[in-house]
């Protein structure tokens, strides 16, 4: 008799890839000392025993280290990917072999994507762990019967937190969520240094073009845009940024980055990357103004920043030039190259952020699960922050792992900081 969907304990592309996946995960573990220290510390006391964690987050070698750490701390785990193009099938295979209820494979259809999330919810989680809020939305809109069993959830990324805050403001959020993105050891490292390096990694793997001397346009100069601009500048590109926020545009200007509107940048750019979290950032009139050979991609969480429907409406023909690189020949004769189908190029065309930076992001995810297990029932149905002191703890472990020392304030200095009895 065939196995029903609910009885499935995993669905991955190819279980025979597990050995390759284990090597990738070992590679990541050797570069994630903060998570490994947390794993060693809590393997004994198993504070997450009894917790069933459903995760919806890119299935990468770094995520596997987080999953193994959650399991070591006593949790049972079910997992799906949070983007149809970001799952590393070898990693998914390795985790499935380790008993993780893994439902993820590269190249999922939209139907596959939601079917996978639903399978991880058959597991009736007590905690949810999100990157982009697709899981928590699925619970709210399709599986509200699960609310009673869920203590709370966490959210990894900027746009996910924005949406959950809006949901909470409307009184629609039905359980507490920890904004992992808002931890300094997440956003000020992952979003800047992680996105900067991994996005260029994705662009170079998909095109192998020379960046030096190219006009490199970042749509957005937030933490992600700034990281991409910084790394492109390091590769010798002429960086241009477009913004809607005056303070961000001013920062770019003072960093020596040219600021233009997208209408102006479209005419001169050679490589475009959207980093805004907004929709319709590059639309028909921009594509029509672009130079022959322009390369466009996105590193925002959702695939709505490049309006590909607009691009298709002015396209004469298409062909796949190489993995994650499709050539669109427009009616005006110019060719435009779209990377990773407009989805996040760092994870779809490369491996996402390096292990060293995800180490801190995921230490925050781990702590969020611990905080919810410990006192989630006392938190209101809103978006909550992690304790600020956690950032220093995570950063200190990271510093120690890098053999870097810190000075320590003397008692006199501590007293001086708040002494208002003396002036200069
Ligand atoms: N994200 C980037 N690289 C990742 C990796 N290597 N593994 C898992 C997830 C990864 C996504 C994060 O940047 C997330 O923090 C976000 O989307 O903000």
């Amino acid at each position: 008799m065939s196995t029903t969907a609910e009885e499935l304990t995993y669905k991955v592309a190819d279980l025979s890839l597990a050995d390759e996946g284990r090597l990738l995960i070992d590679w990541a573990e050797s570069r994630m000392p903060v998570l490994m220290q947390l794993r060693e510390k809590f393997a004994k006391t198993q504070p997450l025993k009894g917790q069933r964690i459903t995760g919806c987050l890119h299935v990468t070698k770094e995520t596997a280290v987080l999953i193994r750490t959650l399991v070591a701390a006593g949790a049972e785990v079910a997992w799906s990917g949070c983007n149809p193009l970001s799952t590393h099938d070898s990693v998914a295979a390795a985790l499935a072999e380790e008993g993780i209820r893994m439902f993820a494979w590269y190249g999922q259809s939209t139907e596959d994507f939601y079917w996978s999330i639903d399978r991880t919810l058959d597991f009736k989680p007590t905690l949810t762990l999100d990157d982009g809020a697709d899981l928590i939305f699925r619970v709210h809109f399709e599986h509200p019967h699960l609310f009673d069993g869920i203590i709370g959830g966490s959210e990894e990324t900027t746009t996910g937190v924005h949406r959950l805050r809006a949901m909470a403001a409307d009184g629609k959020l039905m359980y507490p969520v920890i904004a992992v993105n808002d931890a300094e050891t997440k956003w000020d490292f992952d979003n800047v240094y992680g996105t900067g390096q991994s996005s260029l990694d994705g662009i170079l793997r998909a095109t192998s073009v020379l960046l030096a001397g190219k006009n490199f346009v970042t749509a957005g100069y937030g933490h992600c845009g700034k990281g991409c601009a910084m790394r492109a500048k390091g590769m010798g590109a002429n960086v241009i940024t477009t913004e809607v926020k005056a303070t961000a545009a001013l920062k770019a200007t003072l960093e020596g980055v040219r600021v233009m509107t997208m209408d102006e940048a479209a005419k001169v750019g050679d490589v475009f990357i959207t980093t805004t979290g907004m929709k319709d950032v590059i639309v028909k009139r921009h594509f029509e103004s672009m130079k022959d050979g322009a390369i466009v991609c996105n590193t925002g969480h959702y695939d709505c920043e490049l309006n590909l429907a607009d691009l298709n409406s002015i396209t004469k023909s298409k062909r796949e030039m190489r993995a994650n690189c499709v050539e669109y020949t427009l009616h005006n004769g110019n060719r435009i190259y779209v990377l990773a189908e407009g989805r996040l190029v760092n994870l779809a065309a490369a491996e996402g952020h390096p292990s060293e930076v995800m180490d801190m992001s995921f230490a925050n995810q781990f702590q969020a699960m611990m905080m919810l297990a410990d006192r989630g029932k006392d938190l209101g149905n809103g978006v909550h922050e992690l304790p600020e002191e956690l950032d220093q703890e995570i950063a200190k472990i990271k510093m120690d792992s890098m053999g870097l020392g810190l000075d320590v304030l003397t008692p006199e200095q501590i007293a001086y900081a708040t002494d208002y009895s003396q002036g200069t």
Side-chain angles (χ1 to χ4, degrees):
M1 185 170 81
S2 68
T3 309
T4 65
E6 287 64 29
E7 287 159 0
L8 269 177
T9 54
Y10 66 83
K11 181 171 173 41
V12 297
D14 178 356
L15 214 50
S16 72
L17 298 172
D19 285 342
E20 180 193 331
R22 276 187 280 276
L23 286 173
L24 281 174
I25 301 168
D26 287 355
W27 174 269
E29 286 188 341
S30 66
R31 285 164 179 75
M32 299 177 84
V34 183
L35 265 188
M36 297 307 284
Q37 215 179 91
L38 287 168
R39 185 185 303 182
E40 189 185 343
K41 178 177 175 184
F42 292 109
K44 302 181 191 81
T45 53
Q46 300 246 300
L48 294 178
K49 197 155 194 61
Q51 296 300 337
R52 292 188 306 282
I53 299 174
T54 286
C56 181
L57 197 153
H58 308 287
V59 180
T60 66
K61 58 190 186 299
E62 290 77 18
T63 300
V65 180
L66 168 62
I67 290 172
R68 282 185 176 176
T69 304
L70 293 168
V71 170
E76 286 179 85
V77 174
W79 213 270
S80 64
C82 66
N83 187 288
L85 299 182
S86 64
T87 292
H88 289 259
D89 288 329
S90 63
V91 172
L95 291 169
E97 269 202 354
E98 291 172 20
I100 302 299
R101 292 169 176 76
M102 179 57 66
F103 296 88
W105 56 95
Y106 180 87
Q108 283 186 324
S109 67
T110 303
E111 188 191 355
D112 294 337
F113 180 77
Y114 288 105
W115 178 88
S116 296
I117 292 180
D118 289 344
R119 294 298 68 73
T120 64
L121 290 171
D122 293 338
F123 174 63
K124 295 186 174 31
T126 57
L127 298 169
T128 62
L129 192 156
D130 250 306
D131 184 340
D134 283 304
L135 171 63
I136 201 166
F137 290 160
R138 193 73 176 169
V139 172
H140 278 69
F141 307 133
E142 302 297 330
H143 304 278
H145 62 281
L146 292 173
F147 287 143
D148 293 347
I150 295 175
I151 301 168
S154 66
E155 172 51 49
E156 172 83 7
T157 200
T158 313
T159 31
V161 171
H162 285 165
R163 292 182 172 187
L164 291 170
R165 284 222 155 81
M167 213 168 156
D170 289 348
K172 297 277 195 322
L173 189 58
M174 301 306 285
Y175 56 78
V177 175
I178 309 273
V180 166
N181 184 71
D182 294 1
E184 185 186 355
T185 43
K186 193 276 177 184
W187 65 265
D188 210 3
F189 297 85
D190 171 317
N191 300 17
V192 181
Y193 305 99
T195 307
Q197 176 165 327
S198 63
S199 299
L200 263 69
D201 188 4
I203 291 169
L204 292 175
R205 291 195 200 199
T207 65
S208 82
V209 294
L210 177 73
L211 289 181
K214 291 259 188 337
N215 287 337
F216 188 99
V217 180
T218 80
Y221 200 78
H223 304 125
C224 296
K226 185 169 67 174
C228 293
M230 190 193 319
R231 294 301 173 238
K233 204 188 282 185
M235 298 283 282
N238 306 308
V239 184
I240 295 164
T241 202
T242 67
E243 253 294 346
V244 293
K245 195 174 169 190
T247 49
L250 194 53
K251 258 186 234 168
T253 306
L254 300 188
E255 287 288 335
V257 172
R258 280 183 292 163
V259 175
M260 298 181 189
T261 62
M262 185 54 80
D263 285 321
E264 294 161 335
K267 295 174 188 139
V268 299
D270 298 304
V271 180
F272 297 80
I273 186 165
T274 55
T275 74
T276 69
M278 188 44 71
K279 71 174 189 171
D280 295 340
V281 178
I282 297 183
V283 296
K284 186 190 292 188
R285 69 178 191 278
H286 301 133
F287 290 122
E288 285 170 333
S289 312
M290 285 179 183
K291 297 190 288 193
D292 182 33
I295 294 165
V296 295
C297 65
N298 162 59
T299 201
H301 183 83
Y302 303 103
D303 66 331
C304 57
E305 305 205 26
L306 303 177
N307 188 318
L308 295 186
D310 275 8
L311 179 57
N312 279 305
S313 73
I314 55 173
T315 291
K316 191 165 52 180
S317 63
K318 278 194 284 193
R319 59 179 176 153
E320 181 166 21
M321 303 301 287
R322 45 190 289 162
N324 292 301
C325 180
V326 173
E327 177 190 74
Y328 287 66
T329 301
L330 307 192
H331 290 303
N332 68 13
N334 286 345
R335 292 156 298 179
I336 290 180
Y337 297 92
V338 176
L339 308 187
E341 302 173 23
R343 290 191 180 279
L344 18 70
V345 68
N346 61 338
L347 283 145
E351 298 175 45
H353 303 348
S355 308
E356 292 86 342
V357 79
M358 293 313 297
D359 188 21
M360 295 199 287
S361 300
F362 287 164
N364 283 293
Q365 277 288 5
F366 180 85
Q367 295 290 8
M369 294 292 107
M370 294 274 285
M371 180 171 152
L372 289 166
D374 178 40
R375 56 193 175 89
K377 291 187 171 53
D378 307 330
L379 297 174
N381 291 351
V383 178
H384 302 270
E385 308 294 324
L386 283 163
E388 229 174 84
E389 57 272 17
L390 212 51
D391 274 320
Q392 297 312 319
E393 280 174 39
I394 288 172
K396 180 73 172 59
I397 298 170
K398 198 71 178 172
M399 290 281 285
D400 292 347
S401 74
M402 297 161 80
L404 300 173
L406 281 176
D407 285 332
V408 180
L409 287 176
T410 63
E412 294 73 20
Q413 286 175 313
I414 292 169
Y416 168 79
T418 52
D419 179 354
Y420 54 84
S421 65
Q422 50 182 325
T424 48

